[in-house]
Amino acid sequence: MTQPVANDFIRDIIRRDNEQQTYGGRVQTRFPPEPNGYLHIGHAKAITVDFGTAEEFGGICNLRLDDTNPDTEETEYVDSIVSDIEWLGFRPARLLHASDYFGQLYAWAEYLIGQGLAYVDDSDTETISAERGGFGKPGVESAYRSRSIEENLDLFRRMKAGEFPDGTRVLRAKIDMQSENMALRDPVMYRIRHSHHFRTGDDWCVYPTYDWAHGQSDAIEGVTHSICTLEFDTHRPLYDWYLEHLPLPGDKPRQIEFARLEFTHIITSKRRLAKLVNDGTVDGWDDARMPTLRGLRRRGYPAAAIRAFCTEIGTTRTNSRQSIEALESYVRRELNTIAQRRMAVLHPLRLVVDNWPTDAAGAPVVEFFDVANNPENPADGTRQVAFSGELWIESEDFAEVPPPKFFRLTVGREVRLRGAYLVTATSIEKDADGEVVAVHATYDPATRGGDAPDGRKVKSTMHWVSAAHATDITVGLYGRLFTAQVPGEATGEALDDLNPNSREMVTGKAEAAIADAAPGQVLQFERLGYFAADLDASGLFHRTVGLRDEWAAIQKRQG
């Protein structure tokens, strides 16, 4: 079903084109990632814009892999990109590759040579870079720029045939070495690379640059609106120049640029992310600390929350950095509705109810309490939670010497155990090091369900787990992967700001129902936060986000 059309500058352009019948009212976009790594949260914005815009206007969006660099690309990355897009909630009209068009791109390169608009340059990389000049510094024409059409065609065909080593020659467009736009100073179109391509094998030893492949691939596919991030703004004149000088099979696509999505405490450089993986700093591209879609999925971020965030922040042409807490607030809002509640104790301390009854055989009686699975969604029903005479509570919920405004358990104080009884601590046990290892308490049988019939009030409600019915869990608690809001801002190298304490693994106790969590299912551990069952390992959970809305607090301070 077509969604209502939103308002932003991209959609305004498309509306005008449709009104003027520029493309016959047709809308076609594409998402063109390079398969040299896993998609990250920044890509989620591009995916939402590319696919969402096409859908809103009744058009289509293709996934086209920009596989023009055989040295860094792998089938693994292609498969991950396809999977991540589908997980995010989008389905490409077609799966395509830039390599599908290598033959046509090569033929068009020969066409430009034949028109006197491209030439083979024997200069090395350093010379080409130096002769291009810089901003405010004029370029210098290559000594090879005046080669004849016949010589250029011969050399280019021999490059394709594999006669020359890597780096010895390139094909360049002949545009304007004095242009103020550096992208137009005779850009490189082809480089020699004797590398095995994961799709085309050893068929090619010359490979097109992104700038040469991009617009032409758009034209071949019939793309109407080629939506890119803002760094390609200065490349748009080159995009248009290539298309204007070629015998296209149809209409010339229009390139539109928008601001990319950046966050505090996050990097999106695939080169640096790959280094984290290769150095063993993280466990892989899908480590729950990584900003990749795989990592966010493992951590429990709902795809719906990511889509909503990307849509609601809007699309602009001004670069900015979003607060990671803002994204977390969307995640928290989504999970509050869908996540079932469970009780778990991450730093267990034994609580012994000394006056708990026993049966005829002397065994502690077991009672069961009906507890809501999600108070926000009554349709989720209830579950039964076992309660007996020995429990696990959070160690921080007891203080031998309570600090000011501490309302939880201490000797002589009565508290509520969530949904069960009111209990009063009476004494403690310590180990040889003087650490509290057990708290003894009594319960009030008249307070079943957690309320006192005489109306007396308690100031604290604590979660708990029946020791006899507990299941062991391992939990990953995560801080920011980078300590600085803008990683690398101080030193110029983002990896200098890595947080060495970004993950803490703890072993806890949880109610028996947690063992039934499906892989990837996110639960709210009461009072602790939202936790996702690992996609592969049973009994392993990742803290998705805490319960406290840090973004609301930030807005309050700023407002």
Side-chain angles (χ1 to χ4, degrees), residues 3 31 43-56 61 63 81-93 293 303 306-308 310-311:
Q3 301 296 317
F31 176 57
H43 290 117
K45 176 65 176 179
I47 293 168
T48 302
V49 171
D50 288 331
F51 284 89
T53 302
E55 180 182 359
E56 289 167 13
C61 179
L63 168 61
I81 289 169
V82 172
S83 176
D84 287 347
I85 291 173
E86 291 184 353
W87 171 74
L88 202 55
F90 299 99
R91 186 172 294 276
L293 295 185
I306 296 174
R307 290 196 309 271
C310 291
T311 299

Side-chain angles (χ1 to χ4, degrees), residues 98-177:
S99 57
D100 296 336
Y101 315 126
F102 279 179
Q104 179 62 75
L105 292 171
Y106 178 85
W108 275 342
E110 286 203 352
Y111 174 84
L112 289 184
I113 293 173
Q115 298 297 306
L117 296 175
Y119 63 97
V120 173
D121 194 333
D122 299 0
S123 305
D124 58 33
T125 301
E126 292 75 17
T127 300
I128 291 175
S129 179
E131 290 183 345
R132 289 183 73 238
F135 295 104
K137 181 180 178 181
V140 176
E141 293 185 355
S142 168
Y144 303 97
R145 200 174 193 264
S146 59
R147 274 176 163 157
S148 68
I149 290 174
E150 292 74 21
E151 184 180 7
N152 281 318
L153 279 173
D154 174 66
L155 287 171
F156 189 48
R157 288 166 181 170
R158 290 166 64 191
M159 286 168 60
K160 177 180 180 291
E163 290 189 23
F164 308 119
D166 290 1
T168 54
R169 287 180 167 87
V170 296
L171 181 71
R172 298 175 68 179
K174 188 186 291 186
I175 305 180
D176 182 3
M177 288 299 292

Side-chain angles (χ1 to χ4, degrees), residues 2 43 132 151 153 218 295 342 407 418 518:
T2 301
H43 290 117
R132 289 183 73 238
E151 184 180 7
L153 279 173
D218 286 345
R342 297 291 185 266
F407 300 116
R418 166 89 163 89

Side-chain angles (χ1 to χ4, degrees), residues 272-291:
R272 288 185 171 89
L273 293 176
K275 181 172 174 57
L276 294 179
V277 174
N278 296 332
D279 290 351
T281 304
V282 295
D283 295 336
W285 288 94
D286 61 350
D287 188 300
R289 293 167 291 178
M290 288 282 274

Side-chain angles (χ1 to χ4, degrees), residues 61 72 75-76 91 113 119 129 161 228 254 258 275 366 373 381 433 446 465 539:
C61 179
T72 62
T75 301
E76 171 193 351
R91 186 172 294 276
I113 293 173
Y119 63 97
S129 179
C228 307
R254 179 197 297 273
F258 69 97
K275 181 172 174 57
V366 178
N373 283 321
D433 296 324
V465 175

Side-chain angles (χ1 to χ4, degrees), residues 12 23 91 121 182 228 238 247 258 297 378 390 400 437 494 507:
D12 288 344
Y23 300 103
R91 186 172 294 276
D121 194 333
M182 295 294 294
C228 307
L238 177 58
F258 69 97
R297 181 180 183 182
E390 186 170 321
E400 183 179 6
V437 295
T507 300

Side-chain angles (χ1 to χ4, degrees), residues 9 26 29 31 50 70 82 84 109 180 213 224 231 247 254 294 301 401 426 473 484 492-493 542-543 547:
F9 77 97
R26 190 173 60 85
T29 61
F31 176 57
D50 288 331
V82 172
D84 287 347
E180 293 184 1
T224 58
E231 64 264 33
R254 179 197 297 273
R294 285 293 173 95
Y301 276 46
V401 181
T426 57
I473 56 172
E493 175 48 64
H542 307 280
R543 183 166 62 188
L547 295 178

Side-chain angles (χ1 to χ4, degrees), residues 289 477-481 483 498-504:
R289 293 167 291 178
L477 304 175
Y478 302 102
R480 306 295 183 208
L481 186 56
T483 55
L498 269 171
N499 178 7
N501 302 308
S502 60
R503 178 173 65 184
E504 177 189 4

